[in-house]
Amino acid sequence: MSVLPFLRIYAPPNAVLAAPGLLAVAALTIPDMSGRSRLALAAVLAVIWGAYLLQMVSTLLKRRAEDGRTRTPEIAIDVLAVLVPLAAFLLVGTPDRSLYCAVWLLKPLRDSTFFPVLGRVLANEARNLIGVTTLFGVVLFSVALAGYVIERDIQPDKFGSIPQAMWWAVVTLSTTGYGDAIPQSFAGRVLAGMVMMCGIGIFALWAGILATGFYQEVRRGDFVRNWQLVAAVPLFQKLGPAVLVEIVRALRPRMVPEGAVICRKGEPGDQMFFVVEGRVSVATPSPVELGPGAFFGEMALITGEPRMATVSAATAVSLLSLHSADFQMLCGSSPEIAEIIRKTALERRGAAPMA
């Protein structure tokens, strides 16, 4: 019997263990703590270290079983979380050896989906970020130079050199304002006001670049996911890439749990639906089930009449919804699809209503 399933079961959540471990590290720095309390906290760290040892072994066995498909950063974090505290325990003779457990700060990042996205955003926006950072450096040095020239004779202890003035420049550019270095001359205070406004502008540029990058990355991910869903609908599989792009932008994915009502009879119809996965049930005199590739709700868009039937999810279902305005756009750009939808609607109208 393989030990891998056992280790998977007992591999603890990273953040759940990291939090008490880091709290224990912080508590051990309190100077007046009793010996018994220190021993208890050390035992907590030992238990957490043992749990991370199990997780490291599990990760290595998983990588071996999956022929190296486990991501290298995951392995590196697991190994560091075990070896760094172990090395500190064996080699460091001072009470500070517990501080090396702070490497567990990396554990909550191990399975995070945010940091890969952040990495892609930084890579995509590197040129703009470097440009703004260069501007920040130029402004920083210029401001420190100006502050040195203006205030060096008035406050030689705080503005006696450019490196000293650079501390004031950083604090002022970031609009932190610690108050430990304040220009005394009129020219220095005018300079400080201008520096604060420049700092706000530079940080706004950084924030704007990152916000735009995140927005584009999220939209890119949504576009790829929607493309895959649209490509799974047989009605769209014969279309060219240009038409598919328009459809992907128009359709909205929607997950519906089993038994939930998707649309009700008598309510106004402002969208139609395409079934990607699962099955839906149409409440007609002779109930009908529709599976992957089918669509419903088109009648209300074509005729403008209220829904003619109630449709619910027979199973958990993945849908793509198309609103009326986008439906008109789709009909204009893809007459062949519009013809298929209208033909199907007429057939259903002559048989059983489909919402």
Side-chain angles (χ1 to χ4, degrees):
M1 178 180 176
S2 171
V3 297
L4 185 55
F6 172 84
L7 292 173
R8 281 176 177 167
I9 292 173
Y10 289 95
N14 292 301
V16 172
L17 282 179
L22 295 171
L23 289 175
V25 170
L28 284 170
T29 61
I30 299 175
D32 299 330
M33 182 173 290
S34 65
R36 180 176 297 180
S37 298
R38 289 184 178 278
L39 185 61
L41 291 173
V44 169
L45 294 179
V47 170
I48 294 174
W49 181 87
Y52 283 148
L53 175 62
L54 286 177
Q55 188 179 56
M56 182 188 73
V57 175
S58 173
T59 302
L60 293 175
L61 291 175
K62 180 181 176 183
R63 181 180 177 87
R64 181 178 178 182
E66 295 179 352
D67 297 326
R69 286 196 296 270
T70 305
R71 295 183 302 172
T72 301
E74 293 180 3
I75 299 174
I77 290 175
D78 288 347
V79 171
L80 287 173
V82 172
L83 295 187
V84 170
L86 179 61
F89 178 78
L90 296 176
L91 303 177
V92 179
T94 66
D96 287 343
R97 59 189 178 189
S98 63
L99 297 179
Y100 289 86
C101 292
V103 72
W104 294 342
L105 281 167
L106 299 175
K107 295 297 283 187
L109 312 182
R110 179 182 182 274
D111 303 317
S112 173
T113 58
F114 168 77
F115 289 94
V117 173
L118 176 61
R120 292 194 295 271
V121 170
L122 293 177
N124 294 337
E125 301 295 336
R127 181 178 299 178
N128 294 330
L129 291 172
I130 291 173
V132 177
T133 304
T134 303
L135 175 63
F136 179 83
V138 170
V139 173
L140 177 64
F141 191 88
S142 302
V143 168
L145 176 61
Y148 164 71
V149 171
I150 295 173
E151 295 287 328
R152 61 183 173 180
D153 296 329
I154 302 174
Q155 301 183 77
D157 57 328
K158 295 178 180 178
F159 291 87
S161 66
I162 291 179
Q164 284 181 301
M166 198 166 287
W167 164 250
W168 167 80
V170 170
V171 171
T172 308
L173 265 175
S174 61
T175 65
T176 304
Y178 284 120
D180 56 342
I182 302 174
Q184 299 297 322
S185 66
F186 176 76
R189 295 190 176 188
V190 170
L191 174 65
M194 296 174 61
V195 170
M196 291 178 193
M197 290 185 286
C198 289
I200 292 173
I202 291 174
F203 280 95
L205 283 174
W206 267 324
I209 290 170
L210 290 175
T212 302
F214 272 108
Y215 174 74
Q216 292 176 346
E217 187 63 31
V218 170
R219 284 206 59 182
R220 190 178 296 112
D222 290 343
F223 183 86
V224 172
R225 183 169 56 253
N226 291 351
W227 181 286
Q228 294 170 344
L229 293 175
V230 168
V233 178
L235 183 62
F236 302 140
Q237 288 179 351
K238 296 182 180 180
L239 299 178
V243 179
L244 272 179
V245 168
E246 292 184 9
I247 295 173
V248 168
R249 290 173 177 169
L251 294 173
R252 299 291 179 267
R254 178 178 173 185
M255 297 297 298
V256 182
E258 181 179 355
V261 174
I262 300 170
C263 57
R264 296 184 183 276
K265 181 179 181 179
E267 67 182 11
D270 61 346
Q271 56 186 320
M272 66 177 294
F273 303 91
F274 299 87
V275 181
V276 179
E277 295 178 352
R279 302 189 68 81
V280 300
S281 176
V282 184
T284 61
S286 299
V288 177
E289 280 199 358
L290 302 176
F295 55 87
F296 60 92
E298 77 288 345
M299 196 74 71
L301 297 185
I302 294 174
T303 65
E305 299 174 356
R307 301 284 188 193
M308 301 172 64
T310 297
V311 182
S312 57
T315 64
V317 63
S318 173
L319 300 173
L320 294 170
S321 63
L322 183 67
H323 286 266
S324 55
D326 295 323
F327 173 75
Q328 299 300 328
M329 179 274 296
L330 177 61
C331 291
S333 61
S334 305
E336 63 276 17
I337 292 182
E339 184 60 29
I340 293 174
I341 293 175
R342 288 193 175 92
K343 184 177 179 180
T344 305
L346 292 175
E347 291 174 354
R348 289 175 175 175
R349 190 177 184 88
M354 292 288 179

